[in-house]
Amino acid sequence: MTVSIGGRAVLGVRERLAHALRQHRGRDATRVFVVSLPAVDPRQLLGFLPGEDAYAWQSPDGEHEVGLGIARRLEERGRSRFEKLRESAAALFASTDVVHLDGGAERPLRLFGGAAFDTDSAKDPDWEPFGDCAFVLPRLALVESGDITELRVAIRGDADAAELESVLDQVERLSSFLAASERQQPMAPPAFRARPRAPEPVPASWMRQVEEVRAAIRRGDVGKVVAARRTVVEIGVAADPVEILDRLEGRASGCTRFCFRRQGKLFVGATPERLIRRSGAWVVTHALAGSIARDGDLGGAAARLLASVKDSAEHCFVVDHLRGHLGALCASLEVGDRPRIRELRSLLHLETPVSGRLREDVHILDLVSALHPTPAVGGVPTAAAVRWVRDHEEHPRGWYSGPVGWFDQRGDGDFAVALRALLLTGGRALMFAGAGIVADSDPVAEYQETEVKLGGLRAVIEPIEAARGERELAVL
């Protein structure tokens, strides 16, 4: 339900909300009040109440939203987690009113969150706060919309007088916090030159893992498995999510940047891979598989990637996966004739665009359930490859390579695959990278591919390590 009441620009944000609450007193519904503010960077919200759970989402399409705190949290588990989430979200949307205090443009209510790569793979202590599949309606949100920013404040219908007063005080403090931040000159992250890294020998565990996948392929158990590895770096200090997002922006333009903070743990990344976007009857995605390190000879690297039989086979697995699942749901489906080159700072990928028009109304969560995991992060056939990952990988993936994003009350949404990501927990940075293993994969070359992917994350973390070292020297 959406309600609009006249703008009261002369009142402060706190007073306007208090006035609106008096108008809506006694209603059972959760209420989301929307107030227009002068343009501010939504990421500033991450610095307000840094101990609170939060999320940040910035897509190449220009969507930018940051949420703080939890008004409602939906969490599901098991193989039917997305179906159960859709049902619980429908009940939440039906019992939530959106109140525009400025009569602004209406935007359907959204829930943000994500899911683990595999059911129950978030049981590891490092991942446990994130859950198997969890989405939130935040207590506070800043949404960038052109030259204005929307402040959204969610208040549960069962909130008592003390809770309402607490929320109003929090909004007042946020207004002061944003005003103070606006007066400060924005500072770019300090320049940092990454330390050169000597090549490391390929671990025996990786060689063994790749050979086990190739043996499974020869037996006919699987056709491809995406093997992931985890690297842990001790940073010893809490990381600033805004600084990390800024550094990721400098290294991963054109990617979707995301951040989820749960109980002090931070999962953050910049992924080049979209899983699926739905807008009404239209769906958009792409096949992104097949990689080569980007070097000085860009044209030569691109030509080698396009000519690679191994990478072309990997890519075709993903194209066929998308064509098969979306083709069954779409009245029309357009798939690129041949892959093109997707340029990133340190890598080149094969990419094939895919778009279609749905035959009937299919919720974005049903599309996510059908497509995840693609062969780009799981393997072929899907069930056998996921089973291999579950049984053989040393560390649970948690949300790494899982779907993250948002969906709204219309069934629209946008989901990315959580790649090029790291988990910051307890003074450690857990970094993840994977490579697609097929019959003729070279274990050393596949390891080097994961090293290139991890290199971008190390460049984000190394300034934090360096700052810690400087502080330790200063103490000595």
Side-chain angles (χ1 to χ4, degrees), residues 402-446:
V404 294
W406 62 266
F407 65 95
D408 67 21
Q409 60 201 102
R410 294 177 180 172
D412 290 338
D414 192 9
F415 280 80
V417 183
L419 303 175
R420 316 297 151 81
L422 57 145
L423 177 67
L424 296 156
T425 172
R428 301 177 300 150
L430 280 57
M431 301 182 291
F432 301 84
I437 310 303
V438 293
D440 59 347
S441 286
D442 175 6
V444 175
E446 302 292 2

Side-chain angles (χ1 to χ4, degrees), residues 14-345:
R14 187 187 194 283
E15 288 76 10
R16 297 167 70 191
L17 282 171
H19 179 84
L21 281 171
R22 286 194 293 272
Q23 287 187 319
H24 289 261
R25 184 173 297 159
R27 299 191 181 187
D28 293 332
T30 296
R31 288 149 293 171
V32 178
F33 297 96
V34 184
V35 184
S36 296
L37 303 175
V40 297
D41 185 348
R43 288 175 300 179
Q44 293 179 22
L45 189 57
L46 292 171
F48 180 66
L49 304 178
E52 292 267 6
D53 287 1
Y55 66 80
W57 178 266
Q58 191 165 15
S59 76
D61 301 325
E63 294 176 331
H64 192 183
E65 177 165 340
V66 177
L68 179 71
I70 299 173
R72 296 286 299 274
R73 176 182 170 96
L74 302 179
E75 186 167 355
E76 305 293 349
R77 294 185 178 277
R79 298 192 182 281
S80 59
R81 52 187 173 165
F82 296 113
E83 179 183 351
K84 292 187 288 187
L85 174 65
R86 175 167 50 79
E87 295 171 354
S88 59
L92 185 155
F93 289 139
S95 62
T96 302
D97 294 338
V98 181
V99 184
H100 292 267
L101 300 187
D102 300 307
E106 297 179 3
R107 193 196 74 170
L109 199 60
R110 294 179 176 180
L111 303 181
F112 278 80
F117 167 78
D118 188 18
T119 55
D120 295 330
S121 68
K123 285 185 175 179
D124 183 88
D126 288 321
W127 288 107
E128 193 170 8
F130 294 87
D132 190 15
C133 175
F135 284 74
V136 301
L137 173 66
R139 188 171 61 253
L140 302 173
L142 289 175
V143 183
E144 191 173 72
S145 179
D147 58 354
I148 65 169
T149 301
E150 286 184 353
L151 169 63
R152 293 181 164 238
V153 183
I155 300 177
R156 293 177 62 106
D158 57 1
D160 57 21
E163 185 177 345
L164 294 177
E165 190 65 23
S166 174
V167 172
L168 290 172
D169 288 344
Q170 197 172 88
V171 169
E172 185 172 26
R173 287 186 286 124
L174 174 61
S175 299
S176 301
F177 176 83
L178 293 175
S181 300
E182 186 69 19
R183 288 192 293 269
Q184 298 175 359
Q185 291 296 323
M187 296 181 62
F192 181 83
R193 185 179 297 277
R195 299 189 300 269
R197 291 175 53 86
E200 298 178 356
V202 180
S205 59
W206 175 263
M207 300 292 289
R208 182 172 59 253
Q209 185 177 18
V210 173
E211 287 304 328
E212 288 174 349
V213 173
R214 294 179 64 187
I217 294 172
R218 288 193 296 271
R219 290 193 304 269
D221 298 341
V222 292
K224 170 191 173 181
V225 171
V226 177
R229 52 181 285 245
R230 189 188 82 173
T231 296
V232 180
V233 177
E234 298 289 339
I235 57 175
V237 294
D240 179 357
V242 176
E243 179 182 342
I244 293 176
L245 288 168
D246 281 341
R247 293 189 182 280
L248 286 170
E249 181 178 25
R251 299 194 60 84
S253 60
C255 294
T256 296
R257 284 176 292 155
F258 60 88
C259 170
F260 294 93
R261 187 167 64 202
R262 297 281 189 272
Q263 299 179 22
K265 299 177 186 289
L266 199 68
F267 181 51
V268 58
T271 177
E273 185 169 349
R274 168 173 276 160
L275 179 61
I276 188 70
R277 180 183 178 98
R278 191 198 103 151
S279 181
W282 297 98
V283 293
V284 175
T285 183
H286 57 200
L288 194 76
S291 310
I292 193 171
R294 179 172 181 166
D295 54 26
D297 182 11
L298 177 61
R304 291 193 298 275
L305 180 57
L306 289 169
S308 168
V309 175
K310 180 261 183 187
D311 288 289
S312 293
E314 271 196 74
H315 190 78
C316 286
F317 279 137
V318 183
V319 173
D320 291 344
H321 176 85
L322 296 175
R323 181 185 282 115
H325 285 84
L326 292 179
L329 299 170
C330 289
S332 61
L333 187 68
E334 294 187 8
V335 180
D337 293 336
R338 60 182 63 85
R340 61 195 182 191
I341 294 295
R342 172 78 178 275
E343 296 182 27
L344 299 176
R345 180 160 178 168

